[in-house]
Amino acid sequence: MEMDPRRLLVLLAVARTGGVLAAADELRITPSAVSQQLSKLEAEAGQALITRTPKGSVLTPAGLAMAEAAEEIERALNVARARMQGEAKVAGVVRVGGFTSFMRTVVIPRLPEWRNQYPQLQIHIVEDSFPALMRLFRQRQLDAVVVEQDSTAAVQHPLAAGMVEEPLMDEPWKLVVPAGSLLTTENIDLSRLPLPWLGVEPSAANDAVLGRLRHSTGARIETIHQYQDTLTALSLVAAGEGVAIVPTLAVTGVAQDQVDFLDVPGLGTRHIALRRFDRRRATSLPVDTVARLLRESAAAFDTRSGS
């Protein structure tokens, strides 16, 4: 089976934008050209790669596998381009927005190393909630944003026109319970816990997990309190006020003897991705470099943690 890798990138554009028309706009070619490339790719693959629906184009399992291969090709091309441009001086200011746990554990510890590697590159960190970060991003006050989503949430944060998203890492959700509560992964019933759930601010991915559990268990999952910072959640759990769902990164390196962290089947994973503006429309060596550094740091952290 021989395939033209350029057609894989067309399939990737359809996967990211959700349709042929949007992909054509992103690639700056006609919709008929996109359809022709997809037809040729399906002929080369010997099976259907997309299914057209009234709401857009949906990738088949084979299409998803091909899109993942396209992402690897795109990543390899970016690495090669960065190496070829290695002689050029990477200079400028790149403003990156993100949420606490990723910035604290994956990004900030690497800043001294990156500063030594690229002395003329300044990486400015902005930490805030998802709505605030996306508002700054749309206003072009940020060059890139690290976002989080529950991987199996029914509603995902859509991409606006001109934005692209690339995956950074996936990590499991954990259930936090008071130490000594005698709850284990063997006897736990998420719909019948002896303590209430702690509420989290609505834009956080944790909140989507609670909504998913409400739907899957059919239980009335009501919350008390409302936290934004994971340390606040851990303090509330330690005080016996309730239980909470937190991502693995948020508790990395946090000493807390009064709570237990449980890996519960069905909690799913948190998907972390980088959003930026379409680099095909305006190439920026500093932004490309920072995106690569973030991917490499996330991959290294993922390998160390064994997630």
Side-chain angles (χ1 to χ4, degrees):
M1 178 173 62
E2 295 185 2
M3 288 180 289
D4 188 335
R6 292 172 295 182
R7 294 186 183 122
L8 287 175
L9 298 180
V10 173
L11 178 67
L12 182 58
V14 173
R16 285 173 170 169
T17 62
V20 170
L21 293 178
D25 180 64
E26 179 178 317
L27 297 172
R28 294 188 174 185
I29 59 178
T30 65
S32 61
V34 172
S35 297
Q36 289 173 10
Q37 293 298 310
L38 290 176
S39 296
K40 291 179 180 179
L41 184 60
E42 288 181 324
E44 292 170 347
Q47 53 188 306
L49 301 178
I50 67 170
T51 301
R52 290 178 173 81
T53 71
K55 295 184 178 180
S57 299
V58 179
L59 269 65
T60 65
L64 289 172
M66 290 295 185
E68 290 176 359
E71 286 184 334
E72 292 298 324
I73 292 173
E74 183 182 62
R75 189 173 296 115
L77 289 174
N78 288 337
V79 170
R81 181 173 59 179
R83 288 176 177 171
M84 288 189 295
Q85 294 174 330
E87 297 298 323
K89 290 184 178 180
V90 181
V93 177
V94 177
R95 301 149 300 181
V96 181
F99 50 92
T100 303
S101 59
F102 187 85
M103 293 303 184
R104 176 176 60 84
T105 57
V106 179
V107 178
I108 294 175
R110 301 291 296 275
L111 289 178
E113 173 189 338
W114 296 342
R115 189 163 50 245
N116 290 333
Q117 187 176 2
Y118 300 100
Q120 297 187 58
L121 176 64
Q122 299 180 47
I123 303 176
H124 291 180
I125 301 298
V126 177
E127 178 190 83
D128 213 324
S129 65
F130 177 80
L133 290 173
M134 290 307 298
R135 183 171 59 253
L136 293 173
F137 187 46
R138 286 190 293 268
Q139 294 170 351
R140 302 296 178 113
Q141 296 183 50
L142 293 174
D143 299 296
V145 175
V146 179
V147 299
E148 58 165 357
Q149 298 187 87
D150 176 37
S151 296
T152 53
V155 178
Q156 301 288 340
H157 300 309
L159 285 173
M163 295 182 189
V164 294
E165 181 175 290
E166 51 189 299
L168 292 176
M169 63 189 298
D170 291 274
E171 54 163 359
W173 292 106
K174 292 183 180 291
L175 180 68
V176 190
V177 301
S181 60
L182 301 181
L183 290 173
T184 67
T185 55
E186 288 76 23
N187 68 12
I188 200 164
D189 181 349
L190 293 175
S191 64
R192 295 170 174 252
L193 292 176
L195 290 169
W197 292 88
L198 298 180
V200 61
E201 64 99 4
S203 68
N206 318 44
D207 188 66
V209 183
L210 290 176
R212 174 162 51 84
L213 292 178
R214 288 189 186 97
H215 182 268
S216 63
T217 63
R220 286 182 51 122
I221 296 180
E222 298 181 352
T223 60
I224 63 169
H225 305 302
Q226 181 172 306
Y227 70 89
Q228 183 172 22
D229 190 282
T230 300
L231 294 180
T232 302
L234 297 183
S235 296
L236 287 168
V237 174
E241 287 292 300
V243 299
I245 294 173
V246 300
T248 303
L249 279 181
V251 296
T252 301
V254 175
Q256 182 57 259
D257 299 328
Q258 297 175 292
V259 300
D260 292 330
F261 302 105
L262 304 181
D263 293 307
V264 181
L267 281 188
T269 59
R270 176 173 74 160
H271 178 65
I272 301 174
L274 179 69
R275 290 190 176 185
R276 52 190 298 204
F277 293 104
D278 189 354
R279 55 189 171 279
R280 280 181 287 268
R281 297 186 178 182
T283 300
S284 168
L285 181 56
V287 176
D288 285 349
T289 300
V290 171
R292 175 175 57 82
L293 293 175
L294 292 175
R295 289 194 302 270
E296 292 173 352
S297 184
F301 188 93
D302 209 19
T303 301
R304 292 197 308 270
S305 63
S307 298

